[in-house]
Amino acid sequence: MTYDKENIFAKILKKEIPCESVFENEFILAFKDINPQAKTHILIIPKGEYLDLSDFLQKASALDISSFWKSVDEVLVILKLKDKGFQIKTHKGKEGGQEVFHFHLHLLSNN
Ligand code: AMP
């Protein structure tokens, strides 16, 4: 599978489709899931073009991978979730439940 530059998250990154952003820096965009499965349900996406977790880990530089995770930590601080419970999930492949083929994390919390 090749990366589709017209996928919905690519369009959100290009600001062609609106989103409810909670945090953005040069590495990531974090925004509210349109169909929340918990009190807090945020999607965290890298700005680079990666299909899924495997693609990201294979193709992104070590600096981009560490910057991505440091940025995830910033989202946890902003949402005041660091001292509370939360889940981070990612779907890989259609059989793994993935619907949008731009790598993303689901950040979920009912706290
Ligand atoms: P996944 O099954 O991991 O690919 O999840 C895709 C997620 O994207 C789902 O939880 C959808 O509710 C969410 N989603 C789809 N379109 C939008 C959108 N325009 N804005 C925010 N979330 C979206």
Side-chain angles (χ1 to χ4, degrees):
M1 179 184 254
T2 53
Y3 182 86
D4 172 11
K5 289 177 184 289
E6 296 304 312
N7 76 72
I8 195 142
F9 293 172
K11 288 183 173 175
I12 286 174
L13 281 173
K14 287 184 275 184
K15 316 283 185 210
E16 290 173 10
I17 292 178
C19 73
E20 252 191 276
S21 171
V22 295
F23 179 79
E24 181 170 12
N25 65 13
E26 67 179 292
F27 305 105
I28 68 156
L29 174 65
F31 55 98
K32 292 185 182 176
D33 194 293
I34 207 166
N35 182 23
Q37 303 298 308
K39 199 166 106 186
T40 300
H41 187 171
I42 301 298
L43 299 172
I44 303 174
I45 67 176
K47 292 208 164 164
E49 297 176 349
Y50 305 106
L51 283 169
D52 55 33
L53 176 66
S54 302
D55 197 39
F56 178 63
L57 294 176
Q58 276 168 22
K59 293 184 183 158
S61 67
L63 180 62
D64 280 349
I65 292 171
S66 64
S67 300
F68 175 81
W69 287 105
K70 288 284 186 190
S71 302
V72 170
D73 192 52
E74 288 190 60
V75 175
L76 297 174
V77 171
I78 283 162
L79 297 178
K80 299 184 170 50
L81 288 175
K82 283 200 87 163
D83 299 324
K84 298 180 185 169
F86 61 84
Q87 293 182 321
I88 287 181
K89 293 203 302 179
T90 192
H91 298 147
K92 193 262 184 274
K94 279 201 176 88
E95 288 168 6
Q98 187 174 3
E99 290 173 2
V100 180
F101 288 86
H102 179 112
F103 169 50
H104 53 280
L105 302 178
H106 294 257
L107 170 62
L108 299 144
S109 178
N110 283 314
N111 298 309

